[in-house]
Amino acid sequence: ATDIGVTDTEIHIGTIADVSGPKPGLNKGMHDSMKAFEKWCNDQGGILGRKLVVELLDSKLLNYQDTIKGACNTQLALVGGLGVLDQTGAQDAVDCGLVLVPGAAVSPEQTEASNVVQPMPNLIHKYLVGPADWVAKTYPDSIKKAGVVYSNFQTTKQQSDKLIEAYKQSGFDFTFHEAANVNESNWAPIVVAMKNKGVDYFTLTSSFEEIVPLLAAMQQQDYKPKVIELETNFYNSKFPKDAGATADGTFVRLTAWPFEEADKNPAMQQYLQALKAAVPDAEPELLGVQAWSAGLLFATAAKATGSNLTRTTLFDELKKIHKWNGGGLQGTSDPGNATPSTCFVIMEVKDGGFVRKYPLEDADAAVYNNDVAKGMACPSADEGLATLTG
């Protein structure tokens, strides 16, 4: 035994997700992925012989702080999770020395905390704008009347504000920015308001569960913006299945390799096989990939500590990792210096599934065949990341 959560034979880590509460099942893919990671890791002997034990923690959306306080006394680290209201427990985790390797940090408080290392860093002062530039170049007329709706939480409001500030730098003119209730049951007033304002580009800062009834309301009003482009968390197989034909033509931006092309990517193939083996009914989603990448990052650092695995040595090793792509799952980031990747893929919803829209292997060969992450668009940092000051 070397520290909290570490015995001579086991390593105990936790994975937070808001799987119950006001939005049941939210980010469950992160729990599924970390259960799969636990089995996959232990099937290979664990980490230097110690068995990995993953405790699935449910922060129920509103109980993040209490969940953190409990983990302080039992877990070596929290790995592969996400709490929508993670700002509520960020300082508590710092105060108790808990190491966080989240699948994603959401709030500025969590993102900038001194105990956090992310496989796909999400910074408060940088924003991925490669997808925005692609929309502006491909559908230039749509960006003259852009609209954003966000679920009425402080965190989603901040994310929405960041998107607007970043996309403005790519030429977008936002004429509509509104909040919606969580689990909104009547989308008609918002849809009518957007229709009356002639919104041609639309995005939603929320979860895929919200876009399904919103698209249905658009269909009822005989209205659909020229471009609907959604954040990475909408890359969930349930979205096109649940939305049906109303989702066709919707774009979703990815920061990882597409599931549909796993045959071209051994790391993705391995992830999907491990997920299926451990959680047969799991629905793959991008946040699950981010959780898996976080698990790999944690295990890499934990192994580097040798037998002296403590919170301090773990964090020290995490900060030494400056090139990370999850074995090929994502574009190369710098976790140690909290520098994100610029790489992305645009997927389009078609016939109940997702298909690649950009970059295409043939039509966009120069972009597709890059040296950073072949198959993804990877602009330079100057072009691919907008600096935010708001």
Side-chain angles (χ1 to χ4, degrees):
T2 52
D3 205 339
I4 294 171
V6 184
T7 73
D8 196 44
T9 58
E10 294 182 338
I11 300 169
H12 292 254
I13 62 174
T15 300
I16 281 186
D18 301 312
V19 294
S20 68
K23 293 184 71 64
L26 186 63
N27 302 331
K28 181 179 178 292
M30 304 186 107
H31 272 183
D32 292 342
S33 287
M34 286 306 295
K35 285 305 291 184
F37 185 80
E38 176 188 55
K39 181 180 186 303
W40 178 80
C41 181
N42 289 331
D43 284 349
Q44 298 174 80
I47 298 174
L48 295 180
R50 283 185 171 115
K51 179 183 177 182
L52 185 64
V53 180
V54 178
E55 183 178 354
L56 303 181
L57 306 173
D58 182 5
S59 44
K60 302 178 181 178
L61 197 62
L62 302 176
N63 292 354
Y64 186 84
Q65 184 179 34
D66 289 342
T67 308
I68 287 288
K69 288 180 176 180
C72 281
N73 302 317
T74 56
Q75 311 297 328
L76 172 70
L78 295 183
V79 182
L82 177 156
V84 173
L85 301 180
D86 58 12
Q87 72 272 17
T88 60
Q91 189 61 48
D92 297 277
V94 172
D95 291 344
C96 77
L98 187 62
V99 178
L100 267 64
V101 191
V106 181
S107 68
E109 292 87 348
Q110 189 72 88
T111 299
E112 296 293 300
S114 59
N115 62 332
V116 173
V117 179
Q118 302 178 71
M120 296 183 182
N122 173 28
L123 306 182
I124 62 171
H125 60 279
K126 294 288 184 181
Y127 199 95
L128 180 71
V129 288
D133 292 337
W134 174 79
V135 171
K137 181 180 179 180
T138 312
Y139 304 95
D141 291 341
S142 71
I143 69 173
K144 297 173 184 177
K145 292 183 178 181
V148 181
V149 174
Y150 61 93
S151 288
N152 201 6
F153 272 117
Q154 177 189 354
T155 300
T156 43
K157 171 67 161 59
Q158 288 172 338
Q159 288 293 103
S160 182
D161 289 343
K162 286 171 62 177
L163 180 143
I164 288 174
E165 184 182 350
Y167 274 45
K168 281 182 177 178
Q169 296 179 41
S170 295
F172 284 64
D173 183 9
F174 287 90
T175 59
F176 189 87
H177 188 204
E178 294 289 340
N181 295 324
V182 178
N183 296 328
E184 178 63 67
S185 60
N186 181 18
W187 285 100
I190 287 178
V191 170
V192 170
M194 284 196 294
K195 182 178 181 180
N196 290 340
K197 286 208 169 189
V199 170
D200 288 326
Y201 166 90
F202 173 73
T203 193
L204 175 69
T205 306
S206 185
S207 62
F208 82 86
E209 291 92 347
E210 303 282 15
I211 193 70
V212 174
L214 174 55
L215 290 172
M218 285 182 175
Q219 185 181 51
Q220 290 166 3
Q221 297 296 329
D222 192 26
Y223 161 72
K224 194 169 187 178
K226 293 176 182 176
V227 175
I228 299 177
E229 183 233 0
L230 302 171
E231 295 176 289
T232 55
N233 62 300
F234 288 83
Y235 185 56
N236 185 311
S237 58
K238 292 180 182 177
F239 165 37
K241 290 176 184 176
D242 292 352
T246 63
D248 282 357
T250 299
F251 300 129
V252 177
R253 56 187 183 270
L254 303 191
T255 50
W257 191 261
F259 303 135
E260 292 78 9
E261 301 176 13
D263 59 333
K264 297 181 180 180
N265 187 310
M268 182 57 73
Q269 201 166 35
Q270 187 176 57
Y271 163 69
L272 292 175
Q273 289 171 350
L275 183 65
K276 184 74 173 177
V279 191
D281 61 345
E283 294 279 0
E285 59 184 73
L286 186 76
L287 287 173
V289 177
Q290 293 183 205
W292 182 269
S293 186
L296 290 170
L297 185 64
F298 161 79
T300 300
K303 182 178 178 181
T305 69
S307 61
N308 185 30
L309 177 58
T310 69
R311 287 173 171 176
T312 299
T313 60
L314 171 66
F315 190 74
D316 288 345
E317 291 298 334
L318 285 165
K319 294 296 286 184
K320 293 177 184 177
I321 298 174
H322 297 297
K323 291 186 70 175
W324 185 258
N325 65 5
L329 289 174
Q330 63 179 74
T332 302
S333 65
D334 181 345
N337 286 327
T339 303
S341 166
T342 64
C343 300
F344 69 95
V345 175
I346 300 290
M347 302 295 283
E348 182 178 4
V349 177
K350 275 188 178 181
D351 301 325
F354 294 98
V355 296
R356 177 187 285 262
K357 180 70 176 182
Y358 178 83
L360 298 175
E361 191 169 3
D362 47 4
D364 308 300
V367 175
Y368 187 98
N369 295 309
N370 68 83
D371 295 331
V372 179
K374 185 177 179 180
M376 304 180 78
C378 299
S380 67
D382 289 341
E383 294 178 343
L385 296 173
T387 299
L388 308 181
T389 60

